[in-house]
Amino acid sequence: MTYPSESRIEFPTDFLFGSATSAYQIEGAAQEDGRTPSIWDTFCRTPGKVLGGETGDVAVDHYHRWREDVALMAELGLETYRFSISWPRVQPTGRGPAVQRGLDFYRNLVDELLEKGITPWLTLYHWDLPQELEADPAGAGGGGWPERATAERFADYATLVAEALGDRVEHWTTLNEPWCSAFLGYGSGVHAPGRTDHLAALRAAHHLNLAHGLGSQALRAALPARAKVGISINSASVRAVSDSPEDLDAKRRVEALANGIFEGPLLRGEYGADLIADTAEITDWSFVKDGDLENIHQPLDAIGVNYYTPSLVSAVSPEQEASRRDGHGASEHSPWPGADRVAFHQTPGPVSEMGWTTDASGLYDLLKRFGREAEGVPLYVTENGMACDDKVGADGAVHDPDRIDYLHRHLAAVADARAEGVDVRGYFLWSLLDNFEWAYGYSKRFGAVYVDYETQQRIPKSSARWYADLVRERTLPPVD
Ligand code: GBH
């Protein structure tokens, strides 16, 4: 392995540099123009779920400041912008006709991006399911992602958006990080809708896969042939603390639950035998119906890789497992069904404000693996970035050297993978703006641009200037 880079790093002019956001995290205007609640609006109002009881009601007011935000992107020279559509803004009940005002918002945004020469990169689903689709009784077309009907609703929604924006958006992503939707939403319950049921989480994973499959077919049917359709996943870069058979088995289990459960059906049209065996106490997988795997295993024009930090695991002995279960319920609300005997450890190294270790070799490893396992499919890093304790200085500026160092190391990892033949074609910094960081509310800042949450003033941090220079110059010094 040649990581890390030893020479000056160059990115060709056709490598796309951009930044990413998501609807609920930035838009606000939660009750405007016909938008109804999503599962995140409901979750934020459930006491104890989001730090400080914060919500996305206002967020960073992007719904009203989108023109200013696009101007900022243009000033920074960004080439592409990854954003998501709020499903309940364009189809409030999750069924039936679209709301024109909702679609108009995105049409105006896209037109402004195109006008400034910025390529729109559209994600259909970044976690904000219309509440009605969650609350409805199962079988009546609702019940959220554990239910098959939600995948069917998603395909209809994909058609609506494709019909409205297909003439001007070329890059389409079905889902963002289905692992989080399934296992944080229905397994550990730290994300909306906050359920803690391992069977529901596994069912959700399958129906999210099916939503991708049916949704991508709906997109292909409605979009011009030049359109590109893909998915963004947060595959885990997993290491074991030792090479003992027990620790290697812990790694294998986590890889099956984090990666194989999505990549198996997406890339190979199958759920692995190990995943099925590992979860046998929870389900017989009879919710996978004839034809589902074919429907999920559709051609992909892009795989979006979201990466922040690696995972480090070991086995827990049966005695440790018994004491973990005893009263503390460590495994009860775990997002890892069937992995009760896996312990998670902190990877050594510097940590971010999230407590996540900075280790760019995890990104290199992921890209190399996708290069092998998804040969022929272009890869894009659709999220990568760092939460820092950003403050406005006496000079009115925000200096974030740790974020610059983080970005530098991860871009070097991308360049190394590319130098070894991996087809990585773009990089999206998470995030353009400081924003609503889910269960952490506004306490964690990921933006290249600082937002004063009182005044909504935007202040580009040093990292934004650094990134703008990179996009222009297309070269980086080697990492030390
Ligand atoms: C992304 O999620 C989101 O797409 C984005 O909206 C968000 O703002 C951004 O990252 C920053 O958080 O092993 O159980 O501890 C990333 C969420 C966080 C999911 C780390 C996996 C480790 C799971 N990832 N998490 S666990």
Side-chain angles (χ1 to χ4, degrees):
M1 180 162 105
T2 64
Y3 188 83
S5 249
E6 275 152 21
S7 55
R8 201 170 66 116
I9 299 158
E10 299 206 24
F11 290 93
T13 51
D14 62 357
F15 184 88
L16 272 182
F17 283 110
S19 67
T21 63
S22 86
Y24 191 71
Q25 294 181 274
I26 65 165
E27 285 180 4
Q31 281 143 39
E32 275 178 55
D33 293 341
R35 180 186 174 290
T36 57
S38 74
I39 55 175
W40 269 95
D41 295 276
T42 307
F43 191 69
C44 289
R45 285 172 172 70
T46 310
K49 293 299 186 187
V50 174
L51 195 71
E54 287 170 327
T55 74
D57 284 2
V58 177
V60 296
D61 197 31
H62 174 74
Y63 191 72
H64 301 114
R65 293 169 195 262
W66 56 275
R67 210 182 282 278
E68 177 194 338
D69 290 338
V70 175
L72 202 48
M73 291 179 229
E75 187 196 314
L76 296 171
L78 303 186
E79 298 163 330
T80 180
Y81 174 52
R82 174 175 180 255
F83 63 98
S84 79
I85 306 273
S86 159
W87 186 347
R89 198 181 284 295
V90 307
Q91 195 191 30
T93 61
R95 296 183 182 77
V99 166
Q100 193 56 42
R101 277 172 305 179
L103 289 174
D104 287 346
F105 169 71
Y106 297 104
R107 196 194 308 257
N108 291 335
L109 172 67
V110 164
D111 286 350
E112 187 75 5
L113 289 166
L114 293 171
E115 167 80 26
K116 298 273 199 259
I118 300 168
T119 302
W121 195 283
L122 185 155
T123 299
L124 284 169
Y125 186 73
H126 198 127
W127 308 353
D128 44 359
L129 187 72
Q131 176 61 36
E132 282 213 29
L133 293 186
E134 174 64 34
D136 283 6
W145 288 115
E147 300 306 321
R148 166 172 299 266
T150 305
E152 292 162 0
R153 296 286 72 72
F154 177 80
D156 291 349
Y157 157 65
T159 301
L160 287 186
V161 182
E163 283 171 350
L165 300 175
D167 59 344
R168 53 198 85 194
V169 175
E170 191 173 322
H171 297 277
W172 294 74
T173 299
T174 52
L175 307 175
N176 177 69
E177 300 190 357
W179 183 86
C180 294
S181 297
F183 295 102
L184 302 181
Y186 297 89
S188 68
V190 302
H191 279 189
R195 289 169 58 184
T196 52
D197 172 345
H198 280 172
L199 173 59
L202 292 167
R203 291 176 57 103
H206 175 62
H207 294 128
L208 283 151
N209 280 328
L210 188 61
H212 163 80
L214 299 177
S216 67
Q217 293 175 67
L219 290 176
R220 302 253 186 228
L223 293 172
R226 66 172 186 279
K228 307 274 189 279
V229 178
I231 183 168
S232 282
I233 47 186
N234 60 313
S235 293
S237 207
V238 190
R239 287 96 187 248
V241 301
S242 85
D243 285 341
S244 75
E246 295 79 14
D247 290 344
L248 290 178
D249 188 64
K251 172 176 179 315
R252 183 199 58 71
R253 276 177 193 264
V254 170
E255 285 175 334
L257 283 161
N259 305 343
I261 193 168
F262 301 105
E263 296 166 27
L266 287 169
L267 301 177
R268 295 180 290 278
E270 63 181 27
Y271 286 111
D274 59 341
L275 173 67
I276 291 174
D278 291 346
T279 54
E281 284 184 20
I282 304 166
T283 179
D284 62 2
W285 291 75
S286 55
F287 49 81
V288 180
K289 301 297 182 200
D290 280 356
D292 284 3
L293 290 164
E294 292 72 18
N295 274 324
I296 299 167
H297 187 205
Q298 294 297 313
L300 284 168
D301 301 317
I303 295 176
V305 176
N306 294 1
Y307 174 82
Y308 291 90
T309 187
S311 305
L312 182 62
V313 302
S314 71
V316 236
S317 67
E319 303 76 56
Q320 286 169 317
E321 187 198 353
S323 73
R324 291 210 308 177
R325 276 194 169 153
D326 185 22
H328 302 291
S331 57
E332 202 179 327
H333 295 322
S334 147
W336 303 103
D340 293 348
R341 293 182 54 187
V342 175
F344 287 81
H345 304 272
Q346 183 84 36
T347 301
V351 294
S352 73
E353 279 292 291
M354 299 297 284
W356 300 348
T357 304
T358 296
D359 184 343
S361 66
L363 177 57
Y364 169 88
D365 290 348
L366 261 187
L367 294 172
K368 289 283 284 187
R369 185 169 66 75
F370 275 110
R372 288 191 303 272
E373 295 179 12
E375 223 194 317
V377 185
L379 306 178
Y380 293 83
V381 176
T382 42
E383 283 183 30
N384 178 239
M386 182 185 189
C388 299
D389 183 21
D390 301 311
K391 300 261 192 294
V392 183
D395 56 356
V398 181
H399 296 293
D400 55 346
D402 293 347
R403 182 175 286 107
I404 293 174
D405 183 67
Y406 181 98
L407 298 175
H408 190 163
R409 288 174 188 280
H410 288 77
L411 283 157
V414 171
D416 285 346
R418 283 173 50 84
E420 293 172 23
V422 182
D423 187 11
V424 192
R425 299 192 185 177
Y427 176 93
F428 295 79
L429 188 167
W430 183 272
S431 181
L432 175 69
L433 301 163
D434 290 337
N435 62 46
F436 176 76
E437 178 52 30
W438 307 112
Y440 296 88
Y442 296 93
S443 68
K444 306 293 178 200
R445 294 179 178 272
F446 272 93
V449 175
Y450 183 90
V451 179
D452 178 327
Y453 295 124
E454 299 291 315
T455 62
Q456 297 292 354
Q457 189 194 353
R458 276 78 164 133
I459 305 172
K461 303 175 191 176
S462 332
S463 60
R465 303 294 176 201
W466 178 89
Y467 192 56
D469 288 346
L470 168 66
V471 178
R472 198 179 51 250
E473 305 293 338
R474 312 197 82 80
T475 62
L476 276 177
V479 285
D480 52 38

